Amino acid sequence: MRILYLNVMYTYVIVYDTPVFGSHHFSLSFWNASTQTKAPLKKPSWVDDLHKRRPGIEMETVILSINCAASAEIVYKKLSTQLETSSRKFSFSYLISTSAWWLLATLISSLSSLYYSLIQLFYLLSSFPIFSWVSIASRKVLTNTWINFRIRSCQILYWPIFLQENDMTSMSSAEDAEKAALQRHSTWSAMAVDLVLGNLIGLGLLFNTGSVCSWLFHFAKEFTNDILRSGCVWLMGVPAGFKLNTELAGVLGMVSLNVIQIWSTLWIFMASFIFYLIRAVAVMGITFGATVSAAFVIDVITFATLHITALHWAITLVYSHQIQALAALWRLFRGRKMNPLRQRLDSYGYTVKQHVVGSLLFTPLLLLLPTTSVFYIFFTITSTTINSVSMLIEFTISIVHATPYAEIMIWLFRRSRFPSGVWFEIEHYGKNIHNSSNDVFQDRSNNTPEKNPFLMVSNLRSNFLSIGQILLPHYTTMFSGISASSLTTSARGVLSGKRMPSKLGLDLPPPRPWMHMPLRQYWILCHGSIISSAEKGSNHDLSLEK
């Protein structure tokens, strides 16, 4: 506990707990900071004086000084604790703790080294000319899988480097130390949670491969027969009572049915690989985490519905050109012409022949528009539904990457490490104070003036962040690439024949440069980072106990 005295003429005493890394600190970020105490009924005169005066000390500087006040003392205690460690090396509890951490570090380092060797071997094989074309083709087909695999590889390569405390500037302030600690633990915690989720999903798929395979066969059959084929046959007739052009509807329907039949025939020959495909998803989840396996599922869905994408692209091309032709002919009748340089409509004088040709083209295009529109709407709804499933999986992947698991775990056990604004709890306010009220203030009796107008004693308190306020900045960054204007533009584009985007474009962790080092050196790096982190944690606890 420390005491802060303000003003020479008046006596303002602020009592606060010393900020310590791992315990608490102060911050002025006012996020939904509610009033924690009631103000006096009568506002004291010094409040009016403060409003009239020019502020001499900024509150940010005061808070920074308070957070840095005990940093040197804490560092000295850590150093003295390290010097005293040799005296307790022969204690039984210390030997058990050291052995447990050594075994855990050895296990994690060996597992990370295994991942490291597999990643480096895969990277080495992809550089050979024999496998280069396979790598290029797979990156085109499995785009999402490659992106998430690169993110996981960088996390495996860099987590021991991030875990080490190399920034000495973070020791100067309790707030900086907290931020540095959260940044160090963010990489390995995200990777650990992802691997745990991947193992749960992968083991579930391995033990239920037969049932999942049969469900996929049944779903594919129902989707192809009851939705695609039945929908195309329905559109070739009189859908919802609309009278369509029989010839055009028959051509579009037969082309769609032939494409669906050809793709279904190809998948019949590939049905034997579905069982192994489910096993591959399970193994990828167990090995590299849930995000890599989920990204692989997105790529498989994209490849399996390639015929729907092709049909949607073809009918979109016909519909968009028809809309553009009708719009151009309508401008011809109005005597207008589009100026692409200035993006406006200018007056233009058309000839009689142009008006005649325009009239001959406008009538059949307008009469054929309902037939093209119903096929366009049908395949747009089907394609959008498939893309929505892929976007939902992509959203889940981004949530797994963006969630700060280390901050959530620390918040559950110690909310004081996430301050949000300060407030003052008034303990005493008056012209004098009883001698028996608090012995802490008796040491200042010789230095204070003999006659004080009043004495006010207050405690400096902190508000704390809620779980939503912790998650909000991370999720806001994730959705930084999406805006309401982009969604409105996409919705309007559907009416004019533009395709909806197949990806949300959410923010993912940035890829880092590829790193090469000997396997033994990587193992030593992983082992040393875990041991040093454990020793710093134990020394920090001992220094706090002192």
Side-chain angles (χ1 to χ4, degrees):
M1 179 181 293
R2 304 216 172 188
I3 304 173
L4 181 65
Y5 297 90
L6 302 176
N7 208 306
V8 178
M9 299 300 297
Y10 305 144
T11 305
Y12 306 140
V13 182
I14 300 176
V15 184
Y16 64 91
D17 294 331
T18 305
V20 179
F21 166 66
S23 177
H24 79 285
H25 64 278
F26 296 100
S27 177
L28 286 180
S29 56
F30 293 97
W31 285 0
N32 297 333
S34 58
T35 304
Q36 300 290 338
T37 183
K38 294 183 178 180
L41 296 178
K42 183 179 180 181
K43 186 180 295 185
S45 59
W46 63 270
V47 175
D48 298 330
D49 295 338
L50 287 178
H51 286 291
K52 294 178 182 179
R53 296 176 185 176
R54 183 178 180 181
I57 302 177
E58 295 183 356
M59 196 62 182
E60 292 82 0
T61 307
V62 176
I63 295 299
L64 179 60
S65 303
I66 292 175
N67 289 329
C68 299
S71 298
E73 183 180 356
I74 296 298
V75 172
Y76 174 76
K77 287 183 179 181
K78 287 183 179 180
L79 294 176
S80 62
T81 305
Q82 293 177 1
L83 294 176
E84 295 175 1
T85 305
S86 59
S87 61
R88 57 183 180 87
K89 279 188 176 180
F90 297 99
S91 63
F92 184 71
S93 60
Y94 177 77
L95 291 176
I96 293 178
S97 176
T98 305
S99 302
W101 275 110
W102 190 88
L103 291 175
L104 180 62
T106 303
L107 178 62
I108 296 177
S109 302
S110 302
L111 186 61
S112 298
S113 300
L114 178 61
Y115 278 103
Y116 178 80
S117 59
L118 292 176
I119 292 171
Q120 295 293 350
L121 178 62
F122 187 79
Y123 184 80
L124 181 63
L125 290 176
S126 62
S127 62
F128 284 104
I130 302 176
F131 302 99
S132 60
W133 65 273
V134 179
S135 176
I136 295 173
S138 61
R139 291 185 183 185
K140 294 293 184 181
V141 177
L142 306 175
T143 306
N144 297 281
T145 306
W146 270 99
I147 293 174
N148 286 271
F149 179 75
R150 181 62 185 269
I151 294 173
R152 174 64 67 249
S153 301
C154 292
Q155 289 177 345
I156 293 174
L157 293 177
Y158 281 91
W159 76 263
I161 300 176
F162 292 153
L163 189 59
Q164 292 180 344
E165 186 177 2
N166 298 322
D167 189 9
M168 299 301 295
T169 58
S170 62
M171 301 174 63
S172 61
S173 173
E175 184 177 3
D176 295 338
E178 290 286 352
K179 294 179 180 179
L182 293 176
Q183 187 176 5
R184 288 199 311 271
H185 297 295
S186 61
T187 302
W188 72 264
S189 60
M191 187 172 60
V193 172
D194 195 359
L195 288 173
V196 170
L197 292 176
N199 279 267
L200 293 176
I201 297 174
L203 292 175
L205 289 176
L206 285 178
F207 289 113
N208 301 279
T209 306
S211 58
V212 173
C213 190
S214 61
W215 180 83
L216 286 176
F217 282 136
H218 179 72
F219 176 78
K221 182 179 178 181
E222 294 293 330
F223 180 77
T224 303
N225 295 330
D226 297 343
I227 296 179
L228 294 181
R229 288 196 176 99
S230 300
C232 291
V233 173
W234 179 62
L235 293 177
M236 292 170 65
V238 186
F242 289 100
K243 180 63 177 176
L244 305 180
N245 187 273
T246 308
E247 288 75 13
L248 181 59
V251 171
L252 295 177
M254 289 304 298
V255 171
S256 302
L257 290 175
N258 288 331
V259 171
I260 294 170
Q261 182 61 39
I262 292 172
W263 194 255
S264 301
T265 306
L266 292 176
W267 272 103
I268 289 175
F269 293 102
M270 298 177 63
S272 58
F273 297 99
I274 300 297
F275 182 84
Y276 300 102
L277 189 64
I278 297 173
R279 290 293 182 96
V281 173
V283 171
M284 292 179 68
I286 295 174
T287 308
F288 296 104
T291 55
V292 179
S293 61
F296 182 70
V297 170
I298 294 177
D299 293 328
V300 171
I301 292 175
T302 303
F303 182 74
T305 58
L306 190 61
H307 59 303
I308 300 176
T309 304
L311 289 173
H312 182 233
W313 175 82
I315 195 65
T316 299
L317 187 65
V318 174
Y319 177 78
S320 61
H321 281 77
Q322 192 171 358
I323 290 293
Q324 293 173 8
L326 288 172
L329 293 174
W330 180 251
R331 289 194 297 268
L332 184 145
F333 298 147
R334 296 170 57 200
R336 297 281 184 174
K337 183 179 180 180
M338 184 66 186
N339 189 344
L341 296 179
R342 298 187 178 181
Q343 295 295 323
R344 68 181 186 184
L345 293 175
D346 296 335
S347 300
Y348 187 79
Y350 292 96
T351 63
V352 178
K353 293 182 179 180
Q354 290 175 332
H355 280 280
V356 172
V357 173
S359 302
L360 294 176
L361 292 176
F362 183 81
T363 303
L365 287 176
L366 182 62
L367 295 177
L368 293 176
L369 183 62
T371 305
T372 312
S373 300
V374 293
F375 278 89
Y376 171 74
I377 293 172
F378 173 75
F379 284 106
T380 299
I381 293 174
T382 307
S383 181
T384 304
T385 304
I386 296 172
N387 291 335
S388 300
V389 176
S390 300
M391 289 179 182
L392 181 60
I393 301 176
E394 181 187 356
F395 175 77
T396 306
I397 293 174
S398 300
I399 288 291
V400 173
H401 281 304
T403 303
Y405 302 101
E407 298 182 18
I408 293 175
M409 292 300 297
I410 295 174
W411 182 86
L412 291 176
F413 293 100
R414 187 165 291 180
R415 293 185 59 186
S416 58
R417 297 180 66 174
F418 299 93
S420 175
V422 296
W423 57 282
F424 296 94
E425 181 185 9
I426 299 177
E427 292 287 343
H428 175 80
Y429 172 74
K431 292 186 177 181
N432 52 39
I433 186 171
H434 297 288
N435 295 329
S436 60
S437 59
N438 198 338
D439 297 335
V440 180
F441 311 112
Q442 293 180 0
D443 296 336
R444 297 282 297 179
S445 59
N446 297 327
N447 299 329
T448 54
E450 295 180 359
K451 295 182 180 180
N452 288 329
F454 63 86
L455 173 69
M456 188 179 73
V457 182
S458 60
N459 295 324
L460 183 62
R461 305 295 186 187
S462 292
N463 297 316
F464 304 118
L465 295 176
S466 62
I467 189 66
Q469 292 170 340
I470 293 176
L471 297 177
L472 182 62
H474 299 273
Y475 292 160
T476 303
T477 305
M478 183 183 71
F479 288 102
S480 59
I482 301 177
S483 61
S485 60
S486 62
L487 297 177
T488 305
T489 304
S490 300
R492 290 177 179 176
V494 174
L495 300 177
S496 60
K498 295 181 180 179
R499 297 181 59 190
M500 289 284 290
S502 58
K503 293 184 179 180
L504 290 175
L506 300 177
D507 189 28
L508 293 175
R512 300 184 181 275
W514 199 261
M515 182 178 62
H516 294 278
M517 68 172 62
L519 183 60
R520 179 178 176 82
Q521 182 180 355
Y522 179 79
W523 188 92
I524 294 173
L525 178 64
C526 296
H527 192 273
S529 62
I530 297 174
I531 294 298
S532 62
S533 179
E535 289 179 353
K536 289 175 183 177
S538 61
N539 293 334
H540 175 72
D541 294 338
L542 290 174
S543 62
L544 290 180
E545 292 176 0
K546 290 184 177 183

